[in-house]
Amino acid sequence: MSLHKHSCLLVLAVFNIYPAVFGDGVNLAVSDPADKPRQTSSLSPAVVVNPPPDPLFSLNLLSSLPEDPEISDYCSELLHIFGQLYVDYVTCLVPAARPVKVCQNCYSSFGSLKNIYTNISSDQEGPGNVSCRDSLLRSDRLMLVYLMYSNLVGIWSKSACDNCITEGGQSLTNDTLFFLTTHNQTLTCFEKYKEGNHSQLCTNCKSPYKDLNELYSGMEKNQTLCIDIEDAMNMTRRLWSKYYNCSFPREETVPVIAVSSFMLFLPIIFYLSSFLHSEQKKRKLIHPKRAKSYASLMNIQDKLS
Amino acid sequence: MANITKKVSWSSRADESGATGEGTPLLNGSEQPRHSRQDSLRGRPKEIPHNEKLLSLKFESLDYDNIENQLFLEEERRMSYMGFRCLEISRWVVCGLIGFLTGLIACFIDIVVEELAGIKYQVVKQNIEKFTEAGGLSISLILWAVFNSAFVMVGAIIVAYFEPIAAGSGIPQIKCYLNGIKIPRVVRLKTLVVKVCGVICSVVGGLAVGKEGPMIHSGAVVAAGVSQGRSTSLKRDFKIFEYFRRDTEKRDFVSAGAAAGVSAAFGAPVGGVLFSLEEGASFWNQMLTWRIFFASMISTFTLNFFLSIYHNKPGDLSSPGLINFGRFESDSVAYNLYEIPLFIAMGAIGGILGALFNVLNYWLTIFRIRYVHRPCLQVMEAMLVAAVTATVSFTMIYFSNDCQPLGPEHNEEYPLQLFCADGEYNSMATAFFNTPERSVRSLFHNQPGSYNPLTLGLFTLTYFFLACWTYGLAVSAGVFIPSLLIGAAWGRLFGILLASITSNATIWADPGKYALIGAAAQLGGIVRMTLSLTVIMVEATGNVTYGLPIMLVLMTAKIVGDYFVEGLYDIHIKLQSVPFLHWEAPATSHWLTAREVMSSPVTCLNRIEKVGTIVDVLSNTSTNHNGFPVVVQVAGSDEPAKLCGLILRSQLIVLLKHKVFVELARSRLNQRKLQLKDFRDAYPRFPPIQSIHVSQDERECMMDLTEFMNPTPYTVPQETSLPRVFKLFRALGLRHLVVVDDQNRVIGLVTRKDLARYHLGKHGLEELQLAHT
């Protein structure tokens, strides 16, 4: 529950950033995020993990780069926000791993992360004519910011969450919500009848389950599935077929065997009857004209013997 | 001679030849029993059941020898330098056209099969789904069987009633054609149409067949048609490529067509060229190879291009053949040195299984030739096989407990759930409820663990017998894909077992790799092709590093298989009683001389011959000779006639048709002189002698053959050994070889059937019988 609240707050924060990112007022963009991240971090202090400071390392860095000429304040500010949002998104993802709810729970944090990354990577120049894209994304071999972001984008695209989120990233699509409702109904039904005989469950929950199944196949055809829906369906199917054992039984063995043995019997009759009734095809031999000579014949026999 | 004849298996009715004949010792008076036997035979022609040791009279040779008569020399003289250049260019154009059209046909077959099979499997699948829930699955079974039988019935009817030569894969027929045998109607347009429709029907009808072999035949027909610039069936003459209207030129184009067919079927242009090389290698040169390669490339490119349009990816040239093995590129399919012995062992298994397949099919084919020879019976048999195939497949799927989760990429085209849990599919159905090409691909590429060993074992067993039963039916269909499928199934099984008996084998024993090796072994064990098959397989997998294992596997399979029985195509060629000349004469035949081999006496014609005599000779049905040595009698002397040339039946018929008589030439001086073109126009279907009317007066006229005969036929002295004669024949593609004595008098004539009748059997040299078929 705390997670939900947290994500809601995050959304709020993002909405605050929003005009700054997309508005043309550059000044606003610098000043505004300056206090917002402080807000977010203060709201969720537990999430921020500070790396144990390594005195020697930091000292070295400081001595070699007393003042990084490339990184402007503006860019480091952006980097800071990126870090915050990144942490938020990852924090959201991990508990949603099983059962999979990565799309439903974390779409908003991904949205804000995406926004800040777009801001970093845009070639629009900030104050002082600096573009953070070059300084933050492409200055070194590691390209850490890019690498981290592309990892998350990989997770996002692999989970196909785009299919379940509306165009602007604001909310879940109606299809998804409808599916989740139907899914809940089915689960409720399972819950209701799970005591006692499972055959009762099979008959009573058949119609909600069937509806759910049809809905799912429809969505599969339209390609509007994301990992949440797939996983929910998979689990339900497993419950239905494996746990409650409601698959179709194999009960028509006798007619199938009868029909197939009849079919298999036909060729035997066919071959027997054609063997018995069809006249055998005969070939007429022809005697080629050959030179007849005793000499050559005797020769052959000599050679043979 | 009598000694050899005796070794041939006669029918059980040995009593006809007389007890004396059999019982008499051969050395004293061996001539006597032979006479008695022949006498008894002459009265009543001996009839025996069909067997493999016969040569049919139906087959004739092709005229590969260039007839250098005066007309030919004249035409050559008239032709300018430019003329020869144009000829060379038009050869290239023809090869390009062959490739293009072959590719188009392949594309057509592929698309139609895919669409029709898609509809069929969708309907059956929906039906099965419906009845799984409601009960009554036996109805689905009947529906499936009826579907299959209906398609196969159409295919079998057009083959059995309209064009029986289109049955089977067509590879044996093309092999014979390239060997120099004129198989009647093998390269006609009608054959092509029946072949294409037939193969579509039989693949859609769910038989255990592939569409790759027929492509080779189709390519050959296209080549034979295009290169002639006309169609006799459609009665259209485009007046182009007239120079190519003879057997020699046509053969070159047919080999290009066969190569284009292979290349379209497997996406293997080099394999196609090598196939032509392997099958027709005695007539070959560098330029021809290059042209054939051109045709193959064009063919695979055309197929590629049109399929890319069909798949809505125009310009994406990534589906080079009808069968696509998919890519073998990941690390898990790399092989290691220690796997080579395993591969060789698999090759040996493939050889044994292939030999078993061939032996079973041999007996079945003999039975079919003897008893199932009426067209209606053939159609019924094909329908029964189709129904049983559906039944067996259904039963296997029904009783299979092997359920696998649906993959994320949906490799399975028509997943059947049946009694599996929701979200899973029946893995037996991926093998059976699919076109064979797709099954092969899923066996090669599905994840390890998508088939359990029991499924694979049962599948191999049933498919082996189904495929063996199917090959030789009166439907046009190939044996490549079923062989690959059987091999892939047991190869995968082998891989799985290997992984389960060794501890860390999951790393290297990728079942897909072993499926590929198994497929190669099984195919090699059945068809016994060597070089071309290696290259085809390597090209189809698109991975050159597999060259070594595939070559080793095919070698082993061939060696092991040849120990038991010949290749499937050779068996069928033999059973068709085709006078096929192998690479070499039988090994122990040096003691046979031309005198024993030749036919004698020979019907000769004089250089200036009476028309009546010629007509009589040609109309004699009992001696259906094709080439006649032309002799000249030295005027006024009693010396016997000497050989001065050779003339063919087809030439004589054209001469008679144009009434080229000495008397008429005198009376009509301005008559147009006969040209080589007149002979070409009649090619290849020369009218029979009965259709040519010769009046009583004309019978008394004389005909001068000097201008038209081949003045320098090949001759051999009568002491020439059989292997020497054989070499001449095979290397030059001869049709007639005149045997002369030291005075240049004709004493005999060697033709293809005289040579082909000797073969090395289990008991030494055996002689085949000539028979009407």
Side-chain angles (χ1 to χ4, degrees):
Chain A
M1 267 287 107
S2 70
L3 211 132
H4 272 283
K5 199 188 286 171
H6 174 72
S7 63
C8 288
L9 284 167
L10 243 176
V11 176
L12 271 177
V14 172
F15 283 162
N16 281 339
I17 302 170
Y18 228 61
V21 174
F22 290 104
D24 51 354
V26 182
N27 286 333
L28 201 78
V30 197
S31 63
D32 216 19
D35 37 293
K36 287 298 165 200
R38 227 168 290 143
Q39 252 180 33
T40 20
S41 57
S42 63
L43 275 168
S44 53
V47 197
V48 183
V49 181
N50 289 323
D54 186 341
L56 189 69
F57 184 68
S58 56
L59 197 75
N60 271 347
L61 249 169
L62 278 176
S63 61
S64 63
L65 296 168
E67 187 182 316
D68 195 339
E70 288 176 52
I71 304 259
S72 67
D73 289 346
Y74 169 69
C75 292
S76 60
E77 201 56 53
L78 281 184
L79 188 62
H80 186 68
I81 306 169
F82 176 79
Q84 289 300 327
L85 293 175
Y86 194 93
V87 168
D88 290 345
Y89 182 48
V90 173
T91 328
C92 171
L93 278 184
V94 175
R98 252 350 296 168
V100 187
K101 286 195 158 76
V102 290
C103 298
Q104 305 165 50
N105 291 355
C106 308
Y107 66 92
S108 53
S109 32
F110 182 76
S112 35
L113 183 69
K114 199 163 133 189
N115 284 333
I116 193 73
Y117 187 81
T118 328
N119 207 7
I120 291 175
S121 64
S122 75
D123 49 3
Q124 219 173 30
E125 288 180 358
N129 289 347
V130 270
S131 160
C132 297
R133 183 174 61 163
D134 292 341
S135 59
L136 291 183
L137 297 184
R138 306 180 179 170
S139 306
D140 49 88
R141 181 169 64 88
L142 190 59
M143 303 197 290
L144 189 66
V145 174
Y146 169 76
L147 199 66
M148 285 164 69
Y149 180 69
S150 55
N151 277 340
L152 290 193
V153 166
I155 293 177
W156 179 262
S157 59
K158 205 168 179 187
S159 54
C161 287
D162 277 330
N163 291 336
C164 295
I165 309 291
T166 49
E167 203 63 26
Q170 258 75 337
S171 61
L172 295 172
T173 56
N174 289 339
D175 282 351
T176 315
L177 291 173
F178 182 62
F179 177 84
L180 290 176
T181 326
T182 327
H183 179 236
N184 275 340
Q185 282 170 7
T186 318
L187 286 189
T188 326
C189 179
F190 284 180
E191 200 67 27
K192 201 162 125 196
Y193 293 101
K194 84 177 173 192
E195 308 296 328
N197 201 352
H198 282 166
S199 67
Q200 208 184 353
L201 182 142
C202 289
T203 43
N204 287 332
C205 297
K206 191 166 184 181
S207 74
Y209 177 76
K210 218 176 146 191
D211 289 347
L212 186 71
N213 230 343
E214 264 158 30
L215 183 66
Y216 181 81
S217 350
M219 290 172 82
E220 196 174 20
K221 245 171 235 157
N222 300 336
Q223 309 219 315
T224 52
L225 290 181
C226 56
I227 185 69
D228 290 16
I229 297 182
E230 286 170 35
D231 182 67
M233 191 66 218
N234 264 348
M235 294 322 291
T236 321
R237 278 177 169 174
R238 205 167 298 162
L239 273 180
W240 174 259
S241 346
K242 296 260 167 79
Y243 188 69
Y244 299 124
N245 245 336
C246 296
S247 302
F248 302 114
R250 185 180 296 158
E251 54 194 10
E252 303 172 64
T253 313
V254 175
V256 168
I257 287 182
V259 173
S260 28
S261 40
F262 170 72
M263 291 279 197
L264 294 178
F265 199 57
L266 284 180
I268 299 173
I269 299 174
F270 172 80
Y271 283 118
L272 265 182
S273 71
S274 55
F275 178 71
L276 295 175
H277 297 296
S278 182
E279 72 197 282
Q280 191 177 3
K281 199 161 215 176
K282 293 280 166 87
R283 305 294 186 200
K284 274 188 200 133
L285 290 187
I286 292 159
H287 290 274
K289 296 186 289 184
R290 295 270 174 255
K292 286 177 218 155
S293 68
Y294 286 87
S296 69
L297 250 166
M298 293 309 288
N299 276 346
I300 295 171
Q301 264 136 36
D302 290 345
K303 282 166 195 164
L304 271 178
S305 52
Chain B
M1 193 108 160
N3 205 352
I4 312 165
T5 342
K6 201 188 136 242
K7 280 172 184 158
V8 177
S9 70
W10 290 80
S11 76
S12 52
R13 293 190 248 164
D15 51 321
E16 268 190 29
S17 56
T20 49
E22 292 296 314
T24 319
L26 284 161
L27 269 176
N28 37 1
S30 59
E31 192 63 5
Q32 189 52 40
R34 207 165 69 106
H35 266 304
S36 74
R37 173 186 291 172
Q38 284 197 342
D39 286 345
S40 73
L41 291 175
R42 260 182 211 124
R44 189 154 54 97
K46 190 173 170 67
E47 286 196 343
I48 60 163
H50 186 90
N51 62 36
E52 59 163 3
K53 288 174 179 171
L54 290 175
L55 288 183
S56 170
L57 276 192
K58 178 170 74 176
F59 300 110
E60 294 180 2
S61 286
L62 291 165
D63 295 300
Y64 286 168
D65 189 24
N66 211 351
I67 300 162
E68 293 176 337
N69 56 15
Q70 291 184 20
L71 299 182
F72 177 79
L73 293 175
E74 231 166 79
E75 191 188 68
E76 204 175 68
R77 217 175 299 130
R78 269 206 310 276
M79 227 151 125
S80 61
Y81 174 72
M82 270 317 285
F84 279 107
R85 293 307 294 260
C86 286
L87 217 55
E88 194 56 33
I89 291 168
S90 49
R91 281 202 184 103
W92 283 94
V93 172
V94 170
C95 281
L97 273 176
I98 291 169
F100 181 72
L101 290 175
T102 311
L104 272 189
I105 289 176
C107 189
F108 173 76
I109 293 179
D110 194 50
I111 291 175
V112 175
V113 165
E114 199 159 304
E115 294 292 325
L116 285 180
I119 294 171
K120 184 187 98 174
Y121 286 120
Q122 277 307 333
V123 171
V124 176
K125 181 176 150 82
Q126 277 165 14
N127 191 282
I128 289 180
E129 273 167 7
K130 200 172 92 195
F131 284 117
T132 316
E133 202 180 333
L137 270 174
S138 44
I139 297 173
S140 311
L141 160 62
I142 292 171
L143 178 84
W144 190 2
V146 166
F147 254 125
N148 276 6
S149 303
F151 277 117
V152 170
M153 183 178 76
V154 176
I157 284 178
I158 54 176
V159 170
Y161 283 97
F162 296 104
E163 199 56 87
I165 200 78
S169 77
I171 293 179
Q173 284 90 332
I174 295 306
K175 231 177 137 168
C176 293
Y177 188 93
L178 293 178
N179 192 264
I181 300 153
K182 185 182 198 169
I183 311 275
R185 304 192 312 283
V186 76
V187 288
R188 295 230 181 132
L189 183 66
K190 191 173 149 197
T191 315
L192 177 66
V193 173
V194 170
K195 192 109 210 169
V196 169
C197 298
V199 79
I200 290 172
C201 288
S202 46
V203 175
V204 174
L207 291 176
V209 297
K211 53 192 186 310
E212 276 66 17
M215 264 324 293
I216 294 159
H217 192 172
S218 308
V221 182
V222 166
V226 168
S227 64
Q228 304 300 295
R230 70 171 168 194
S231 162
T232 336
S233 313
L234 298 179
K235 305 214 165 40
R236 284 289 297 276
D237 191 344
F238 297 100
K239 305 273 181 204
I240 43 170
F241 309 138
E242 284 171 341
Y243 185 81
F244 302 141
R245 293 178 190 172
R246 23 178 212 167
D247 283 339
T248 327
E249 296 284 347
K250 201 165 157 183
R251 179 199 61 212
D252 289 353
F253 290 118
V254 167
S255 44
V262 176
S263 133
F266 299 97
V270 182
V273 174
L274 292 175
F275 174 82
S276 286
L277 178 79
E278 209 173 310
E279 302 308 336
S282 46
F283 323 108
W284 206 259
N285 69 51
Q286 205 181 1
M287 267 328 271
L288 180 64
T289 320
W290 187 222
R291 268 205 304 275
I292 291 177
F293 186 62
F294 174 69
S296 308
M297 267 304 179
I298 294 286
S299 148
T300 177
F301 176 79
T302 311
L303 175 71
N304 224 321
F305 181 71
F306 284 98
L307 279 187
S308 74
I309 292 178
Y310 172 68
H311 292 133
N312 284 327
K313 286 180 268 178
D316 170 27
L317 304 179
S318 60
S319 47
L322 287 185
I323 167 101
N324 193 344
F325 289 175
R327 295 274 151 243
F328 283 85
E329 269 161 7
S330 67
D331 287 340
S332 60
V333 294
Y335 61 94
N336 214 318
L337 188 64
Y338 55 79
E339 292 181 77
I340 297 283
L342 288 173
F343 293 155
I344 292 177
M346 288 178 77
I349 299 174
I352 292 169
L353 285 180
L356 181 67
F357 185 99
N358 291 359
V359 168
L360 291 177
N361 195 267
Y362 167 77
W363 288 113
L364 193 61
T365 311
I366 289 227
F367 181 84
R368 279 178 178 146
I369 292 176
R370 286 187 188 169
Y371 295 102
V372 194
H373 47 79
R374 292 221 305 275
C376 59
L377 284 179
Q378 288 175 342
V379 172
M380 273 173 65
E381 191 192 10
M383 287 171 66
L384 279 176
V385 174
V388 169
T389 307
T391 311
V392 170
S393 313
F394 189 91
T395 325
M396 300 296 273
I397 294 173
Y398 186 90
F399 288 105
S400 165
N401 281 325
D402 184 7
C403 294
Q404 301 289 344
L406 278 166
E409 308 96 26
H410 287 281
N411 292 329
E412 301 77 24
E413 202 76 5
Y414 317 104
L416 274 185
Q417 186 189 347
L418 235 59
F419 309 113
C420 288
D422 285 3
E424 297 192 338
Y425 66 92
N426 188 311
S427 96
M428 188 68 101
T430 46
F432 271 120
F433 195 67
N434 223 332
T435 52
E437 279 92 353
R438 284 189 198 285
S439 310
V440 172
R441 217 176 317 158
S442 56
L443 281 171
F444 284 166
H445 289 294
N446 276 5
Q447 297 295 319
S450 32
Y451 295 94
N452 76 31
L454 184 70
T455 309
L456 284 175
L458 280 174
F459 177 74
T460 310
L461 200 69
T462 43
Y463 213 80
F464 182 88
F465 289 109
L466 281 177
C468 187
W469 188 22
T470 310
Y471 190 77
L473 284 179
V475 292
S476 54
V479 76
F480 266 80
I481 296 298
S483 323
L484 286 174
L485 195 47
I486 298 166
W490 65 254
R492 205 178 165 102
L493 183 65
F494 190 87
I496 293 174
L497 294 183
L498 212 60
S500 66
I501 54 171
T502 48
S503 55
N504 60 346
T506 41
I507 311 153
W508 54 270
D510 178 66
K513 173 172 62 184
Y514 284 89
L516 175 70
I517 297 295
Q522 183 67 58
L523 186 55
I526 290 176
V527 301
R528 309 283 165 74
M529 278 153 55
T530 48
L531 172 62
S532 53
L533 192 57
T534 312
V535 177
I536 288 172
M537 293 292 287
V538 169
E539 280 186 290
T541 52
N543 191 337
V544 182
T545 52
Y546 276 131
L548 178 75
I550 289 178
M551 182 191 75
L552 289 175
V553 159
L554 288 177
M555 269 168 77
T556 328
K558 185 171 165 61
I559 292 169
V560 173
D562 279 346
Y563 181 75
F564 299 104
V565 68
E566 303 164 276
L568 188 65
Y569 296 140
D570 294 318
I571 289 177
H572 277 259
I573 286 173
K574 258 193 182 172
L575 285 174
Q576 295 294 314
S577 316
V578 178
F580 191 86
L581 293 187
H582 291 275
W583 310 98
E584 299 275 331
T588 58
S589 59
H590 284 270
W591 54 274
L592 273 168
T593 62
R595 195 191 2 253
E596 282 112 15
V597 171
M598 71 191 183
S599 306
S600 173
V602 185
T603 319
C604 293
L605 296 175
N606 285 312
R607 202 168 63 177
I608 298 177
E609 185 64 83
K610 223 171 88 183
V611 173
T613 325
I614 294 179
V615 173
D616 289 341
V617 167
L618 292 185
S619 328
N620 187 348
T621 46
S622 65
T623 58
N624 194 14
H625 295 315
N626 212 294
F628 303 94
V630 180
V631 292
V632 62
Q633 196 85 40
V634 181
S637 75
D638 285 343
E639 270 185 66
K642 300 204 170 171
L643 177 72
C644 71
L646 185 84
I647 196 154
L648 302 178
R649 167 181 286 262
S650 57
Q651 290 176 308
L652 288 173
I653 284 180
V654 174
L655 292 179
L656 286 173
K657 206 170 127 197
H658 287 86
K659 309 216 180 295
V660 190
F661 307 144
V662 180
E663 286 77 6
L664 289 181
R666 276 185 206 133
S667 61
R668 284 183 293 170
L669 278 171
N670 57 350
Q671 190 200 23
R672 187 177 67 89
K673 236 184 123 203
L674 210 58
Q675 287 182 348
L676 215 51
K677 186 179 175 305
D678 299 297
F679 292 95
R680 282 193 199 127
D681 283 345
Y683 177 82
R685 300 189 207 172
F686 296 102
I689 183 70
Q690 288 79 12
S691 70
I692 289 166
H693 179 72
V694 180
S695 70
Q696 207 55 46
D697 287 347
E698 283 168 341
R699 284 184 70 91
E700 295 305 314
C701 293
M702 302 299 276
M703 236 157 88
D704 187 356
L705 305 177
T706 322
E707 248 183 297
F708 309 106
M709 69 188 186
N710 180 4
T712 52
Y714 291 97
T715 58
V716 287
Q718 46 183 331
E719 297 304 331
T720 322
S721 69
L722 174 66
R724 274 184 104 78
V725 175
F726 199 97
K727 258 189 204 121
L728 263 180
F729 237 80
R730 187 74 164 88
L732 297 172
L734 294 184
R735 181 164 185 181
H736 304 102
L737 185 61
V738 186
V739 182
V740 294
D741 64 2
D742 48 0
Q743 311 263 303
N744 205 24
R745 287 174 304 194
V746 178
I747 54 168
L749 196 65
V750 179
T751 57
R752 176 176 281 270
K753 276 163 215 145
D754 296 321
L755 294 176
R757 64 199 164 104
Y758 297 102
H759 84 131
L760 203 57
K762 285 207 174 62
H763 315 285
L765 206 59
E766 293 178 356
E767 198 185 328
L768 307 179
Q769 302 281 318
L770 280 176
H772 275 298
T773 53

